[in-house]
Every structure is written in C-alpha cells, then in structure tokens.
Amino acid sequence: MPTETAPAPTPDRRAASSTVGILVVTAGVLAALVAAALTALSGSDAYALLGLPDPGPVTKYGLPVVRVLAETGAVVCIGSLLLASFGIPAQRGGSLTADGYAAVRTAGWAAAVWFAGAALMVPFLAADATGRGVSEVLSADVLFGLLDALEEVKAWGLSALIVFVVALLCRIVLSWGWTTVAFGAALLGLFPVIATGHSASGGAHDMATNSLLFHLFGATLWVGGLVALLAHGARGGAHLPLVARRFSRIALAAWIAMALSGVVNSLVRVTPEQLVTTTYGVLVLVKVVALVALGAFGYAQRSKVVQRLAGGAGRGALLRLGAVEVLTMFATIGVAVALGRTPPPAESGPTPGRTELLIGYPLPEPPDALNLLFTGRFDLVWGTLALALAVFYLLGVRRLRARGDAWPVGRTAAWLLGCLTILAATSSGIGRYAPAVFSVHMGQHMLLSMLAPVFLVLAGPTSLALRVFKPAGKEHPPGAREWLLAFLHSPITRVLTNPFVALGLFVGSFYALYFSGLFDLALPQHWAHIAMNAHFLLVGYVFYWPVIGIDPAPRQLPSMGKLGLVFASMPFHAFFGVVLMMSQNVIGENFYRSLDLPWMTDLLADQQLGGGLAWASGEVPLVVVMLALLIQWSRADYRAARRIDRKADADGEADLAAYNEMLRRLAGNDGSAAGGSGAGGSSAEDSGAAGSGAADSGAGDVRATGSSAEAPGEEGAREDSSAGTDRGN
C-alpha cells in the first residue's frame, strides 16, 4: 500500500472529531447512570451484609460515578496509545507522524482524566469501606491511615501514581519507541486494581484474579481501540483501511479473551442456580448477554466496514457503527462497575480454611512425588501462555513448510520442551505447592530461570518469526516484522544482552530477592507470584540468549567469552545454595506459619532442602549448555570447511595454488641467499647450500591431493573437508 498523506483538516472533519468527543462523553454519562441505578438496587443490602452503616448518598452513588470516570479515561488513554504504537505507521526514522502525535495527545488528556478518577477513588473507597461520608475521611491522618490499612485503597493510589507518569510521557514523547513504553506503562496502571477487590479475596482467588487480568485487559483494548479508531477516522487520518484491519484482529482476540475469562471468573463466584436467584448472578447474566450480542454484532458489521474502507469509502459507516458499539460497550462498563460494587453470594459448603483464604485453595496432603506430579492446578496466566507459545510456534513452522521452506526439527522439539517446562513449573503439583512450600518454590525458580530458557533460546523463535512475517517494503507502512526488528535493535535490548548486565541480573536477583526482605513482602500477594515467575523466565532468557541462542544477539560474544560467562555464574549459584543451607533464619517464616499446614512442622529443614536444590540444580543446565556449545562449535567448523571446499571448487583451488607459489618463492629466496653467502667458500659448501634450497623447495610445495603439509590455521578444516565433505555439492 503506498504511503498516504493525511489530508488537511476541514470543517467537516473538525465537526466529525467533535462528534467523537461528544460520543465519548455521552457514553461515559450513560455508563455512570447505569452503574448508579444498579447500585441503588443492591447498595443498601451490600452495607448490611458487611455490617456497615449506610455512608450516605454522596459516597454510595459517588463511588460508581468516580470509578466510571477513571475507567473512561483508562480505556481512551490505552486505546489511543495502542493506535499510536501499532495502528498508525510511524515515519521511517522512528518519529511519530502527525496522526500518531494526535493520538498521543489524546492519550495525554485521557490520562489526566484517568488520574483524577483514580485519585478521587482513594477517599471515596476509604469512606465506602468504613461506612462513612467522604467528608469524614478527608483529613490527612484518617486518609493516610486508611490508605495503609486497606489494600484496595492502596491499589488505587498506586495506580494514580503510574497514570501520572503516563500523562507526563504523553506530553513529551515524539518517537515511536517511547510511545510503546508509554503504552506498556498504561497497561501496568491497570494491574494494581486487578489484584484487589472481590476477585482477590476468598477461596479460589488465584483463578478469579488471573481471569480478571485477561478480562479487563481485553475489555480495555477492545473499547479503547474502537474509540481511537473512530477518532482517527474522524480526523481524516491516513491508512484508515490498514488501521481498521489491525483493530479488527485485536478486537476479535480481545472479545475471545473476555468471553472465556468472564465465564471462569463468574463460575468462581456463583453456582449455575445462583445466576437467576441472586442479584449478583442476574448482573452476571446481563453482562454476558451484552458481551455476546455486542461481539457478534460488532464483528459482523466491522467486517463489512473494513471491506468498504478498502474500496475507498465507508468513513461515515464506520462512525455510525462505532456510535452504536461504543454506547453499548460503555453501558456494559456501567454493569461491570455495579457488579464490582455488589457482594457475591455467600459460598455454599464448608467455610474456607486459612490456607484456602491465603493462597486460594487447600493443601491437605504433603508434597510427595505423586502429588507434585499429578495433583496440578492450571495456572490461567502461565499455563495459558505456555500453550499459546507452543501453538503459535507450530503455526509458524507449518506456514514455512507450506511454502516449501525447511525448519529444523530439533528447534521445534526444543521449543516444545521449553513450553512443557513452563507448564510443569506453574500448572503441575510444583505450581500448586510453590506458594506454600519454600523448597518447592525453589524448584519452580530453578525450572523457570535455568532450564526453560535454555530450551527456548535453542529454538530460535526470533529467526522463525522473521522468516514467517513478510517484509513491509520500502513504500509500505511497517508491520510485525519491522516492529520485531526495531525491538531487537533497541537500546534496552542492547543493554540487557550486555554480558555484565545479563550476568548481574541472572545471579544478583537470587540475593536481592531472598536476602533483602522482598520475598517476605511478596509471599502474601498473588500478583507478586506472577511477577516473580515473569522475572525468573525473562532473566534466564536474557542470560542464555547470547551464550547459546540460535537467534543473533545484539552483542555477539566470542566462543571463549560464552564459556567464561557460564562458568562465571556457577560460583554465585553454588554460594547462594550453601548460604541457604547454612542459614538459621527462616525466610518468609511469618507467612509460612500463618498457613498452619499440619504436615509442615520444620520450616528450617525445608529451607535447607531448597538451598540444596539451588546448589545441585546448577549442574543440570551447565551440562545442557556445554553440550549445546560443543554441537554449535562442531557445526560451525563443518560449515566453514564446506565454504572453503565450495570456494576451491569454484575457482580451481586458486588460494591453494597461490599459497604453494608463495612457499616456492620463499624457498627460492632462501636458496639464493645461501648460494651468495658461499661464494668465497668451498664448492662442497656451495653444493650443500644448493641441495638444502632444493630440499626446502620440495618440502614447501603443498599439493591439492592431501599432503600432510597444510596451511597454518587450515589444517583442521582441510582434514574435515577431505574426510567427510562431498565436494562439488
């Protein structure tokens, strides 16, 4: 597609842009009215169930309105940054185009609204949680005391700080790279809120929190992306058909993620019969029906609009479709806000025990071999990621083979082994017992940081992706291949793959996490376990990538440098394990004792077992790494020998002939020098000198038939070539 130039703004386009702004404001007001109305139906019951006094109408109805304000700003901000990052093509030099800059500016204003809503949520939520009016908690002493005591209030405060940074970034960024950083930071701003609330408490809160993670991210990308697409079309932005196609794919994936995660999240909190017998269940049904209808209608209509846009028309149809879809989406957001304000129905069956309340599920039996292997609990984040990575890799290999290209079977096997290792570490019995048993957690740590990355880097995922993705071409907007290349050549990738940085992260994280008190703080938090697993996997990948990775790293290390980096890490891992085994202080003692597991009686012995695992497990990846290095070196020598042989066949062994000629000239020069020095001596000496020169000349004539006298540095290559290379192929 040729590069388009954005047309100059016209009065019609200015009016269209104003229409989109009015549409968003109207949709936000609609969401607030829906949330307030549904809260009125169940709000008083909620306070009575919690044993709290009615805080008054300002707190009761102001809280859902403020939350809608925050979520409206969030979806518009994230959607606009998504458009600027992966929708609107940047300039070839990496700078934003006028359309991209306009989207970032919109994101900045939306981030300001998001920040205001998140900051207001702190006093409103503190008042709601204590059954007070908002004016009663506005004093500094009361508010800061509640901020420290209430996790959900603290989460909104942290979210406000992150969003403030996002708003600043949106005011100063001019490049595509920094726009993607702002987009990532905006997504991070959602995370503290996801980790709190109804989903983060009670039984099975691990499943509820993980499903809510997919649900809210999917909803935000879908709703915000559509608003950004409408704004881009209203501005008369360039590449509208391309932008619409890209958003359509994102919307479909987001809708599938929302639907599946919504089902899981609902089943955690309600039983099928409670869907029609409780207020919470009815709200769930209303939300599900709205999402299903909206997804089916939106996908069908969007496909038609994308086709019309490709034909050069359809901007008006896009705006009409978007108006209906945006209003329905924001009404669904209002239902979701009311759902978050409604307590789930009381759980039937036995009251959850202390272990289930703390980690989400009971652990009645000790972690023996059978339980570690067969009593798994699927991790919705890491289990899903492992399966998705395996599927995408296999689809890429299939696409290569469909067009006649080969891909080594060994790389595919390595990737599947890496995905299987992640799945086993997070979704088998290892993942189930890891939050409650230090030694099992340490085994999970070793699998994710020292074994899974070894298999993943040996699979060459970047090389596969670059071969699967088609180049965009000089006159076409950049696509997935160009984005991947930009990431590989980015400063952050070069810094992380620096040998000293990679080594420091790989070995230093052990000491920083377990000996600084961070691990004690992280143990009670489910989101912290997700973050720790991500850190283990990414740090291991960054370390092993330049050492044995198939993909070219930004910093190429010599062979001895790779070996030295591996051996440099070994003493640190061994010392870490020894320190754990020798320590008399139990790491995370308060949390582990609070679980009150009857079969966990000696925490120090379990920690020493974990230290032994850390000390001994370092040998396994070392063996795999050494084997991989030896195979890579052998193959490199073989390829070098084949290159030399092909060149010799092509030029008639010109290099070998030139080398022999050089030896003959050197021998001739030595003979002449010997004869000249013997001019005043006996004839016998002259004869001996001449004979010596002849001998030197004969010894220096290297034949192409495999003489034992080879060129220095080429002996091994020639021997390998003559022994095992099929010349002429």
Side-chain angles (χ1 to χ4, degrees):
M1 178 187 299
T3 303
E4 302 177 30
T5 302
T10 63
D12 291 340
R13 290 195 176 96
R14 294 192 189 99
S17 298
S18 300
T19 302
V20 174
I22 294 172
L23 174 64
V24 172
V25 173
T26 304
V29 172
L30 174 62
L33 291 175
V34 170
L38 293 177
T39 299
L41 298 177
S42 59
S44 58
D45 294 339
Y47 294 109
L49 289 173
L50 295 174
L52 296 174
D54 192 320
V58 175
T59 300
K60 184 189 300 183
Y61 301 114
L63 179 60
V65 171
V66 170
R67 178 149 190 170
V68 167
L69 177 69
E71 295 196 2
T72 300
V75 297
V76 176
C77 174
I78 291 175
S80 299
L81 290 174
L82 171 69
L83 179 73
S85 299
F86 304 107
I88 302 173
Q91 299 181 28
R92 287 292 166 183
S95 300
L96 293 173
T97 61
D99 293 328
Y101 182 69
V104 172
R105 294 285 290 180
T106 301
W109 288 111
V113 174
W114 185 5
F115 170 74
L120 287 172
M121 279 294 293
V122 172
F124 270 92
L125 197 58
D128 181 76
T130 56
R132 307 181 189 180
V134 175
S135 59
E136 299 178 38
V137 300
L138 290 180
S139 64
D141 293 339
V142 175
L143 186 60
F144 282 105
L146 293 175
L147 181 66
D148 183 63
L150 300 173
E151 289 296 326
E152 195 171 359
V153 176
K154 189 184 303 182
W156 277 101
L158 178 59
S159 179
L161 291 177
I162 297 173
V163 176
F164 181 75
V165 175
V166 173
L168 290 180
L169 284 175
C170 291
R171 300 293 298 179
I172 61 177
V173 298
L174 295 173
S175 65
W176 175 80
W178 279 104
T179 302
T180 60
V181 172
F183 173 63
L187 290 177
L188 183 62
L190 293 175
F191 197 80
V193 178
I194 294 173
T196 58
H198 291 158
S199 294
S201 60
H205 65 257
D206 59 324
M207 287 283 188
T209 302
N210 289 349
S211 60
L212 188 63
L213 183 71
F214 286 101
H215 197 73
L216 288 187
F217 279 150
T220 303
L221 294 176
W222 184 14
V223 181
L226 179 60
V227 172
L229 174 63
L230 295 180
H232 182 66
R235 287 192 294 262
H239 305 291
L240 185 58
L242 174 67
V243 175
R245 284 198 306 273
R246 289 178 176 177
F247 170 72
S248 183
R249 298 183 189 123
I250 293 174
L252 178 60
W255 181 80
I256 293 174
M258 287 178 62
L260 296 178
S261 60
V263 170
V264 173
N265 193 273
S266 300
L267 292 178
V268 168
R269 292 289 170 243
V270 295
T271 60
E273 59 271 14
Q274 289 173 333
L275 289 174
V276 293
T277 59
T278 63
T279 303
Y280 189 91
V282 171
L283 290 177
V284 169
L285 280 180
V286 171
K287 183 180 176 182
V288 169
V289 171
L291 285 177
V292 170
L294 187 59
F297 172 77
Y299 179 74
Q301 295 301 315
R302 198 180 303 113
S303 300
K304 297 179 181 178
V305 171
V306 169
Q307 292 177 358
R308 294 185 61 186
L309 289 174
R315 290 179 186 266
L318 176 64
L319 293 176
R320 287 191 296 273
L321 166 66
V324 176
E325 198 169 351
V326 166
L327 289 173
T328 309
M329 284 177 170
F330 272 81
T332 307
I333 288 177
V335 175
V337 170
L339 191 63
R341 298 274 298 128
T342 305
E347 298 183 4
S348 58
T351 303
R354 186 166 184 79
T355 304
E356 187 173 0
L357 289 174
L358 289 174
I359 65 174
Y361 47 87
L363 290 173
E365 299 176 349
D368 55 26
L370 291 178
N371 286 331
L372 290 176
L373 288 174
F374 300 112
T375 60
R377 184 178 179 86
F378 188 75
D379 190 308
L380 285 179
V381 173
W382 293 106
T384 303
L385 178 65
L387 295 177
L389 290 176
V391 170
F392 288 142
Y393 193 95
L394 291 175
L395 290 176
V397 174
R398 179 184 177 187
R399 178 174 293 186
L400 281 186
R401 292 181 176 175
R403 70 187 190 199
D405 294 340
W407 186 255
V409 176
R411 296 186 186 181
T412 304
W415 184 262
L416 295 179
L417 283 174
C419 295
L420 182 62
T421 304
I422 297 173
L423 188 65
T426 58
S427 298
S428 69
I430 297 174
R432 184 167 177 254
Y433 281 92
V437 182
F438 182 82
S439 59
V440 180
H441 164 82
M442 189 56 62
Q444 182 187 60
H445 182 166
M446 296 300 109
L447 287 173
L448 290 176
S449 66
M450 302 186 70
L451 189 59
V454 172
F455 292 128
L456 295 179
V457 299
L458 289 174
T462 302
S463 299
L464 176 63
L466 291 176
R467 290 181 62 181
V468 170
F469 296 142
K470 295 180 180 179
K474 291 184 178 181
E475 297 184 357
H476 293 73
R481 193 175 192 276
E482 288 70 30
W483 298 333
L484 179 58
L485 286 173
F487 173 74
L488 293 176
H489 296 132
S490 65
I492 187 171
T493 305
R494 292 187 60 82
V495 169
L496 289 177
T497 54
N498 182 290
F500 298 103
V501 175
L503 179 63
L505 289 174
F506 188 57
V507 301
S509 59
F510 283 80
Y511 298 89
L513 176 62
Y514 295 104
F515 298 147
S516 66
L518 285 177
F519 187 69
D520 297 69
L521 296 175
L523 272 175
Q525 307 297 331
H526 176 71
W527 64 265
H529 290 274
I530 299 176
M532 281 192 290
N533 289 342
H535 173 78
F536 298 153
L537 190 62
L538 292 176
V539 167
Y541 193 96
V542 166
F543 177 78
Y544 287 114
W545 179 14
V547 175
I548 58 172
I550 300 298
D551 298 323
R555 296 179 181 272
Q556 295 294 329
L557 299 178
S559 299
M560 294 307 297
K562 295 178 178 180
L563 193 61
L565 193 62
V566 173
F567 278 104
S569 68
M570 291 180 59
F572 294 98
H573 284 296
F575 183 71
F576 170 78
V578 171
V579 170
L580 281 181
M581 288 188 291
M582 299 296 293
S583 175
Q584 297 300 310
N585 297 321
V586 178
I587 300 174
E589 180 177 10
N590 292 334
F591 176 77
Y592 289 131
R593 292 198 184 282
S594 68
L595 293 175
D596 196 24
L597 296 171
W599 41 263
M600 180 59 70
T601 57
D602 194 340
L603 295 178
L604 185 59
D606 181 69
Q607 178 173 296
Q608 292 170 348
L609 175 60
L613 287 174
W615 174 72
S617 60
E619 305 297 329
V620 177
L622 177 64
V623 172
V624 178
V625 168
M626 290 300 301
L627 181 61
L629 284 175
L630 290 174
I631 293 175
Q632 290 175 3
W633 294 340
S634 175
R635 289 179 176 176
D637 289 341
Y638 178 72
R639 287 192 296 267
R642 291 198 64 180
R643 283 195 300 270
I644 294 172
D645 285 341
R646 284 195 298 268
K647 186 176 184 300
D649 290 338
D651 59 16
E653 298 185 336
D655 290 343
L656 190 59
Y659 183 73
N660 286 332
E661 180 61 27
M662 179 191 69
L663 291 179
R664 281 192 288 270
R665 287 199 305 270
L666 290 175
N669 290 338
D670 290 343
S672 300
S677 64
S682 65
S683 59
E685 291 175 349
D686 293 342
S687 176
S692 175
D696 289 344
S697 177
D701 189 5
V702 180
R703 304 298 181 188
T705 56
S707 169
S708 60
E710 286 283 0
E714 295 181 0
E715 179 179 356
R718 286 294 176 193
E719 288 177 352
D720 290 345
S721 175
S722 61
T725 304
D726 184 8
R727 301 173 64 89
N729 291 334

